[in-house]
C-alpha cells in the first residue's frame, strides 16, 4: 500500500509543520512548509508516525515501509516513501525535529490511534 503526497502553493503558512488526523482512516496528513510558497503534504498511517516518534524519544533509529528516521551528529534525517519509485527526504537539526515531535504529540491523542490496524496491506 502506498500513500499519497500532495504539493501545494501557500502564501501564508504559520508553522513549519501541520498535522491533521483522520480517526476513521487512521491516516495522518503531515504538512511540511518548504518555502513561503510551497507546502508538501504526506498521508502516513498514524501508527507508523507514532512509532517513529517513540523511537526518536528512545534514541533509536526507525525504519518501516513508509518512514525512515536516522539521528546523526545533531541532525535527523527523515525519509518518507511517496510510491514504489520515489522517496522524499528531509534533513532537520535536532531542535527542529524535537519541535516536529512535540507538535505532533500535542496534536494527536494516542487514545484515538487504533493499534490493531494491519499496516502490511
Amino acid at each position: 500500500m502506498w500513500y499519497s503526497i500532495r504539493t501545494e502553493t501557500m502564501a501564508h503558512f504559520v508553522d513549519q509543520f501541520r498535522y491533521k488526523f483522520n480517526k476513521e482512516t487512521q491516516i495522518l496528513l503531515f504538512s511540511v512548509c518548504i518555502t513561503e510558497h510551497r507546502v508538501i503534504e504526506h498521508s502516513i498511517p498514524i501508527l507508523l508516525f507514532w512509532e517513529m516518534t517513540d523511537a526518536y524519544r528512545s534514541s533509536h533509529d526507525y525504519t518501516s515501509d513508509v518512514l525512515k528516521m536516522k539521528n546523526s551528529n545533531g541532525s535527523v534525517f527523515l525519509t518518507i516513501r511517496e510510491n514504489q519509485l520515489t522517496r522524499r527526504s528531509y534533513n532537520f537539526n535536532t531542535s527542529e525535529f524535537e519541535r516536529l515531535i512535540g507538535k505532533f504529540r500535542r496534536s494527536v491523542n494516542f487514545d484515538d490511534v487504533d493499534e490493531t490496524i494491519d499496516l502490511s496491506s
Side-chain angles (χ1 to χ4, degrees), residues 2-99:
W2 298 104
Y3 301 93
S4 66
I5 179 171
R6 186 172 66 174
T7 303
E8 291 189 359
T9 302
M10 299 184 115
H12 184 69
F13 195 85
V14 176
D15 297 316
Q16 184 178 6
F17 316 108
R18 284 190 189 165
Y19 303 95
K20 186 174 182 183
F21 174 50
N22 184 321
K23 292 179 203 177
E24 289 180 24
T25 63
Q26 293 290 295
I27 296 294
L28 175 71
L29 182 62
F30 171 53
S31 303
V32 182
C33 182
I34 304 300
T35 69
E36 182 179 337
H37 300 286
R38 185 177 172 113
V39 172
I40 298 176
E41 296 181 330
H42 300 278
S43 295
I44 302 168
I46 189 71
L47 191 56
L48 296 181
F49 206 88
W50 198 279
E51 289 172 352
M52 186 262 311
T53 64
D54 279 345
Y56 178 80
R57 289 176 146 193
S58 301
S59 300
H60 293 95
D61 294 338
Y62 179 81
T63 302
S64 74
D65 290 343
V66 178
L67 294 172
K68 181 176 182 181
M69 182 270 306
K70 182 174 175 75
N71 194 350
S72 177
N73 298 324
S75 292
V76 179
F77 300 98
L78 176 63
T79 301
I80 303 171
R81 181 170 295 281
E82 295 178 8
N83 59 50
Q84 200 169 19
L85 301 173
T86 309
R87 297 175 303 182
R88 185 166 304 266
S89 296
Y90 302 95
N91 182 2
F92 300 104
N93 66 41
T94 303
S95 64
E96 287 175 320
F97 200 74
E98 288 172 1
R99 277 194 313 273

